[in-house]
Amino acid sequence: MDGQRTRRRIPEATVARLPVYLRILSEQFDDGVTNMSSEQLADFAGLNAAKVRKDLSYLGSYGTRGVGYEVEYLVYQIRRELGLTHDWPVVIVGAGNLGQALAGYGGFGDRGFPVGGIVDVDESKVGSLVGGVRVRHLDEVAQVVQSRGISIGVIATPGAAAQEVADALVAAGVTSLLNFAPTVINVPHGISVRKVDLAVELQILSYYEQRRASAKAATLHAVPGAR
Amino acid sequence: MDGQRTRRRIPEATVARLPVYLRILSEQFDDGVTNMSSEQLADFAGLNAAKVRKDLSYLGSYGTRGVGYEVEYLVYQIRRELGLTHDWPVVIVGAGNLGQALAGYGGFGDRGFPVGGIVDVDESKVGSLVGGVRVRHLDEVAQVVQSRGISIGVIATPGAAAQEVADALVAAGVTSLLNFAPTVINVPHGISVRKVDLAVELQILSYYEQRRASAKAATLHAVPGAR
DNA sequence: CCGGCTTTGTGAAAACATGCACGAGCGCCC
DNA sequence: GGGCGCTCGTGCATGTTTTCACAAAGCCGG
């Protein structure tokens, strides 16, 4: 009676790994590999086989014992689960350095996320072409979103503008946001947000670097063999 | 006897949030705020107050009961813990679109991560200036790394080159990697890696979009009031 | 200087994620 | 067509992260 809709919810950690499996499997398939075991896949993904199997088991029982998984079929299943059976056009807000780099970067359209629009508040940028798309004014974002059926917005503005832009996007009907601005944004319940923040990543690395450095310093003074 | 070096290890999840607190606190400090409670900070960070307090408690007991935290002091403590008391120069590998965008983007040098070098394999790019830094050949990466005391490498190459580049960086003495290439890289034990992958982020958003869409479809057929 | 108000710091419980280990199923070879 | 070897799927133990809830501690006003 309910087809596939009452699919058990997939843990967030697993959802974050599925795209990795998908990429590996797609590449392997292109290289002519038709079958893979959880262990092979785990090696490529830098994980252990048990985790891979558990992750895949949330999709259903698509493996064959003693054999492994059929690559092509698994690609199909992951794509379906991730909702990649159709394109998701995105709107980019901010036509500065980052916005231009994102629009120009192939990785968007290639992978099912074509740039459906670019908007900016800066009148001097409105009307120009970025990555083959004409920049429109932020005020028109609702029209852009609705005319293209866009549900994903990419925020590529300075931090100070991010919250305002997020509000505008949500008001326009966008339900998922990818935020490159170095600011935490608040959104209504039911809206998804992912954040990409260069400074945060570097600072995390800094922490472990610093820690390594002090561990080393400590070792220099440690009793030999104490461990 | 051991000063602050035998600091208890901070959970990874907490380390990832400290940079967020740091940014919020720094901004508030610039706005003249001298004191904040865990609840205020939690609001800015989009978290709950208990989590903020527990995170901060790993640094030590720097709050005052009934009052909150002194912003300036906390900023200092977080910076110290994250190893941000000095600059960490980085080397960028790949002078293509992404590498150029990263080098040109202020966010690096601003925040204590100056671009100490850019390298590429493409002879036509070697010698050109990107973000004020002259591009050198990948073969010279060890010299660049060692002469500047660089310990963080940023991989901004196509996926196919990423593993090779990572190996070269590690061989050159780099101990932390920030990987923008859409590939999982393998590194020796003791090397830190963080990955930033646009396609993965979009695909995660796609999953939740798709899920929302099917939940909605289900509701349309559901018995009214069932929920 | 005391009592009430506020907010921290932290044990303990709950939720979540990972890793182990093994039974079950499948293909292949003899 | 039976046995052997391989690999999946998953229950259970372990480890990590989040959340709750409250005693302890500091400030302020009377």
Side-chain angles (χ1 to χ4, degrees), chain A residues 177-188:
Chain A
L177 297 174
L178 180 53
N179 180 25
F180 285 90
T183 308
V184 175
I185 56 180
N186 290 301
V187 295

Side-chain angles (χ1 to χ4, degrees), chain A residues 85-165:
Chain A
T85 49
H86 63 79
D87 278 4
W88 295 96
V90 304
V91 57
I92 297 177
V93 182
N97 275 340
L98 180 58
Q100 290 182 30
L102 292 173
Y105 178 56
F108 262 104
D110 276 13
R111 305 195 162 270
F113 301 90
V115 177
I118 306 181
V119 301
D120 201 303
V121 277
D122 183 348
E123 294 289 357
S124 75
K125 286 185 188 124
V126 172
S128 64
L129 273 182
V130 170
V133 178
R134 194 159 300 278
V135 178
R136 297 182 63 181
H137 195 277
L138 176 60
D139 293 345
E140 299 179 82
V141 70
Q143 208 223 304
V144 172
V145 165
Q146 279 146 34
S147 69
R148 309 280 168 105
I150 292 174
S151 51
I152 300 178
V154 176
I155 302 176
T157 66
Q163 182 62 57
E164 198 181 339
V165 164

Side-chain angles (χ1 to χ4, degrees), chain A residues 39-74:
Chain A
E39 187 155 357
Q40 289 174 289
L41 186 47
D43 282 349
F44 280 111
L47 307 167
N48 70 49
K51 201 189 281 181
V52 169
R53 286 200 300 277
K54 187 152 289 191
D55 284 344
L56 296 181
S57 77
Y58 290 111
L59 307 181
S61 284
Y62 298 137
T64 305
R65 290 164 195 230
V67 177
Y69 300 87
E70 196 202 323
V71 175
E72 186 171 16
Y73 187 57
L74 198 50

Side-chain angles (χ1 to χ4, degrees), chain A residues 4-5 7-12 15-20 22-24 27 43-46 80-84 86 88 90 97-98 101-102 104-108 111 113 151-154 174-178 180-186 190-214 217-218 221, chain B residues 4-5 7-12 15-20 22-24 27 43-46 80-84 88 90 97-98 101-102 104-108 111 113 151-154 174-178 180-184 186 190-215 217-219 221:
Chain A
Q4 76 207 30
R5 120 180 112 56
R7 175 153 246 104
R8 58 215 156 293
R9 158 184 157 284
I10 299 182
E12 209 172 312
V15 172
R17 284 187 295 265
L18 288 178
V20 176
L22 177 59
R23 175 139 47 208
I24 293 166
E27 280 172 7
D43 282 349
F44 280 111
R80 189 172 60 74
E81 192 70 38
L82 291 176
L84 300 176
H86 63 79
W88 295 96
V90 304
N97 275 340
L98 180 58
L102 292 173
Y105 178 56
F108 262 104
R111 305 195 162 270
F113 301 90
S151 51
I152 300 178
V154 176
V174 162
T175 44
S176 288
L177 297 174
L178 180 53
F180 285 90
T183 308
V184 175
I185 56 180
N186 290 301
I191 306 290
S192 310
V193 181
R194 306 277 313 172
K195 191 179 149 190
V196 174
D197 190 328
L198 199 57
V200 168
E201 297 302 324
L202 288 169
Q203 288 174 10
I204 294 170
L205 290 175
S206 165
Y207 171 78
Y208 292 106
E209 277 297 324
Q210 183 257 10
R211 179 149 262 274
R212 249 192 294 274
S214 47
H221 300 291
Chain B
Q4 75 208 27
R5 126 178 106 57
R7 176 151 248 106
R8 58 212 157 297
R9 161 185 154 281
I10 298 182
E12 206 173 315
V15 172
R17 284 188 294 266
L18 289 177
V20 176
L22 177 59
R23 175 138 50 206
I24 292 167
E27 281 173 7
D43 282 351
F44 279 110
R80 187 174 59 75
E81 191 70 37
L82 290 178
L84 301 176
W88 294 96
V90 304
N97 274 338
L98 181 58
L102 291 173
Y105 178 58
F108 262 104
R111 305 195 162 269
F113 300 90
S151 50
I152 300 179
V154 177
V174 162
T175 44
S176 289
L177 297 174
L178 180 52
F180 285 91
T183 307
V184 175
N186 290 302
I191 305 290
S192 310
V193 181
R194 305 275 313 170
K195 190 181 151 192
V196 174
D197 189 329
L198 200 56
V200 168
E201 298 301 325
L202 287 169
Q203 288 175 10
I204 294 170
L205 289 175
S206 166
Y207 170 77
Y208 291 106
E209 276 298 325
Q210 183 258 11
R211 179 150 260 274
R212 251 194 291 276
S214 47
T219 306
H221 300 292

